[in-house]
Amino acid sequence: MNTNHNRGPARSLRAWLRHLQATDRLATARPGIALEHELAAVAKKLDGRQAVLFPQPGGHRMPVVSGLVAARSWIAEAAGVEQSALLARFQHAAEHPLRCNEVKSAPWQAVVHEHFDLRTLLPVPKHSEHDSAPYITAGLVIARNPDTGLQNVSINRIQINAADRMALLILPRHLHAYFSMAEERGEALPVAVVIGVDPLILLASQAVVPVDHDELEIAGALHGVPLDVVKCATSEIRVPAEAEIVIEGRLLPGVREPEGPFGEFPKYYSPRESREVIAVDCISHRLSPLYHTIVPAEMEHLLLGGIPREATILSHLKRSFTDVLDVHLSTGGVCRYHLYVQMRKRSAGQPKNVICAAFGAHYDIKHVVVVDDDVDVHDPSQVEWAIATRFQADRDLVMIPGAQGSVLDPSTEHGVSAKLGFDATKPLKYEEHRFTRVRIPGEQAVDLEAALQPLAAQAIEELLRE
Ligand code: MN
């Protein structure tokens, strides 16, 4: 295996966990934490700080892991780049995919179950208060175009319905297109649900690329070496060789079962509705597999979706506006709805054009703030400062009623949403110092080691005496 070519520490889930452990970012729970709510609650408590490994969750022999990426810096680290280079690195990988390397065997083929009960074989947690059932939340759903065999990878929430049945949410994107092709012919669509991969494969699965672009090839480009894949037992689907667990099954034509409610990324519930169904045929896993769960709406969930979107939005905006420098989907906006754009303004009115283009970049974007190049879009306080001091509502606001928004935003009317843009840039010309940000000369260069010196308590007492 080409482990020596990888630049980052995220060649496999286990390699990444060892790296987190070595840098004090992997917590371990006491054995036996309950799968219903308790596991998610513990992971949530450590969200943004540490990943967690749960031995024997609910008495189950298979450990669960959660929180593989807790901050943007962890993802940059996995990709082997500085944070400032992360979006460019991701976009380059999306545009320069590496064809996968097919191998004959993989560790996940060690144990094969043909007779099983999903509800007991895997330690699937129930996360939020009103969730209908245990949900697989970190499963890569891999399917092939029924005509061409080209693959698609997506992460779909998957509800456990019975011993060998699951229902899932399929948004109107690529998996939906492949399944529609099969269903129109009355055929089932083979799928593999892959659990337990490294953070770069998870990130690549969220790339906003056209249909028939295999996200596993983008994962290879992020690794810097073609991804090893192996053929499934019951279909032609190729899945990552490094995976922990592979569930093979078929999306059934003409079959729908109730799914939900489920606590989703905006921190609200998706309602119960009729959804597509997977009949499971076999489950394979490593000798001692790890089960990965993503706690919905926590940093791992938000970042894995947010960063590929940022990369796509930035490249979209740069095509028309070369002076756009950076973008950020803020955490408070669930890494989907609030976009901050940093630009070097060259002509009056330009930020409003950028706002309009941003609404066109993705229908989820609801509020856009454009700031100057002296404002850090990754710091919400700085963006708020720009709105507070450079924005006038009667002059700098763009409002578009009745546009397409996110159906998961409960304030929309079935996904129909108003859009709001803030031009929080300063004017191109202004009288001296009016918009000059206050700086203290030498502030950046201060060396505290050299500037500070401890003083004995008695000496301080003397200085402060009345
Ligand atoms: Mn796709």
Side-chain angles (χ1 to χ4, degrees):
M1 235 164 264
N2 299 310
T3 43
N4 52 336
H5 291 105
N6 185 23
R7 296 188 299 168
R11 187 68 182 81
S12 70
L13 173 59
R14 284 159 194 255
W16 179 246
L17 290 173
R18 279 195 298 270
H19 176 69
L20 293 181
Q21 155 73 13
T23 49
D24 199 26
R25 286 177 289 175
L26 179 67
T28 49
R30 69 165 164 75
I33 295 281
L35 284 167
E36 182 158 332
H37 307 318
E38 190 183 14
L39 185 148
V42 172
K44 181 170 178 169
K45 200 84 177 171
L46 288 162
D47 185 38
R49 290 186 283 150
Q50 285 184 304
V52 201
L53 182 64
F54 296 90
Q56 296 159 48
H60 209 286
R61 57 179 279 270
M62 212 181 279
V64 172
V65 64
S66 190
L68 301 186
V69 287
R72 192 182 185 79
S73 58
W74 296 26
I75 297 183
E77 195 180 338
V81 294
E82 293 296 318
Q83 272 193 73
S84 57
L86 179 58
L87 298 188
R89 175 85 187 100
F90 186 84
Q91 195 60 23
H92 185 271
E95 288 167 7
H96 301 85
L98 283 184
R99 189 151 297 166
C100 295
N101 177 47
E102 184 150 359
V103 295
K104 289 273 170 273
S105 64
W108 63 260
Q109 295 170 322
V111 183
V112 182
H113 301 268
E114 283 168 347
H115 305 281
F116 53 83
D117 187 334
L118 268 171
R119 295 165 297 191
T120 50
L121 181 64
L122 301 176
V124 185
K126 194 170 176 182
H127 300 97
S128 304
E129 185 182 8
H130 299 297
D131 283 1
S132 54
Y135 267 82
I136 296 172
T137 55
L140 298 178
V141 180
I142 308 183
R144 287 158 58 90
N145 179 319
D147 287 338
T148 64
L150 290 167
Q151 294 207 146
N152 189 70
V153 188
S154 56
I155 299 178
N156 305 66
R157 65 177 200 237
I158 306 174
Q159 174 187 270
I160 307 292
N161 284 14
D164 61 353
R165 274 167 101 84
M166 320 189 284
L168 75 172
L169 171 68
I170 303 180
L171 294 172
R173 298 193 75 242
H174 307 152
L175 177 61
H176 184 266
Y178 290 178
F179 179 53
S180 297
M181 290 166 73
E183 192 172 38
E184 275 167 24
R185 301 171 196 165
E187 292 168 7
L189 183 76
V191 292
V193 178
V194 178
I195 301 166
V197 295
D198 72 71
L200 294 180
I201 300 180
L202 290 164
L203 193 71
S205 77
Q206 300 305 295
V208 187
V209 288
V211 69
D212 294 333
H213 286 230
D214 186 346
E215 286 82 1
L216 293 184
E217 298 185 352
I218 299 172
L222 282 175
H223 280 156
V225 54
L227 191 72
D228 286 343
V229 293
V230 69
K231 193 181 108 43
C232 284
T234 64
S235 74
E236 292 297 312
I237 297 170
R238 267 62 173 179
V239 304
E242 281 296 315
E244 298 284 326
I245 301 160
V246 177
I247 303 172
E248 298 183 39
R250 291 156 290 125
L251 271 165
L252 300 176
V255 178
R256 300 293 186 274
E257 287 178 9
E259 182 269 341
F262 178 73
E264 264 289 358
F265 73 81
K267 307 181 198 286
Y268 293 100
Y269 290 90
S270 264
R272 190 167 183 80
E273 280 177 38
S274 273
R275 306 282 188 201
E276 286 81 355
V277 172
I278 295 174
V280 179
D281 297 314
C282 80
I283 300 174
S284 311
H285 58 71
R286 290 177 180 236
L287 281 175
S288 304
L290 300 172
Y291 180 92
H292 175 211
T293 199
I294 293 175
V295 178
E298 296 310 307
M299 286 315 295
E300 180 177 32
H301 188 187
L302 299 180
L303 288 167
L304 288 173
I307 284 166
R309 281 161 190 249
E310 288 179 355
T312 308
I313 292 164
L314 181 59
S315 101
H316 170 88
L317 291 179
K318 271 178 176 285
R319 238 169 284 163
S320 308
F321 307 96
T322 50
D323 299 319
V324 166
L325 303 172
D326 199 3
V327 299
H328 181 53
L329 291 164
S330 69
T331 306
V334 291
C335 293
R336 302 287 194 284
Y337 299 162
H338 285 180
L339 179 74
Y340 303 154
V341 182
Q342 185 196 52
M343 74 180 299
R344 197 175 294 119
K345 181 163 120 182
R346 302 227 187 248
S347 48
Q350 216 178 16
K352 287 193 179 167
N353 297 52
V354 170
I355 287 166
C356 294
F359 292 143
H362 200 292
Y363 60 77
D364 275 350
I365 296 171
K366 184 179 182 183
H367 300 143
V368 177
V369 184
V370 181
V371 297
D372 296 297
D373 58 359
D374 62 343
V375 176
D376 179 0
V377 285
H378 296 277
D379 180 348
S381 298
Q382 288 198 36
V383 174
E384 187 181 356
W385 171 78
I387 295 171
T389 61
R390 296 179 179 179
F391 168 83
Q392 285 294 315
D394 59 345
R395 185 189 63 199
D396 300 322
L397 193 77
V398 178
M399 206 268 275
I400 299 167
Q404 187 191 2
S406 163
V407 288
L408 290 173
D409 169 0
S411 70
T412 66
E413 294 295 333
H414 305 290
V416 175
S417 175
K419 308 278 180 180
L420 197 57
F422 299 75
D423 172 0
T425 60
K426 58 193 178 187
L428 287 167
K429 289 203 175 97
Y430 48 88
E431 63 248 42
E432 202 181 14
H433 302 326
R434 184 165 168 199
F435 283 102
T436 304
R437 189 168 172 165
V438 174
R439 290 188 199 288
I440 297 171
E443 180 188 2
Q444 300 289 351
V446 167
D447 176 2
L448 282 180
E449 293 259 328
L452 301 182
Q453 187 180 307
L455 204 54
Q458 201 186 339
I460 296 173
E461 181 67 26
E462 226 148 89
L463 283 171
L464 301 181
R465 186 169 298 145
E466 295 287 343

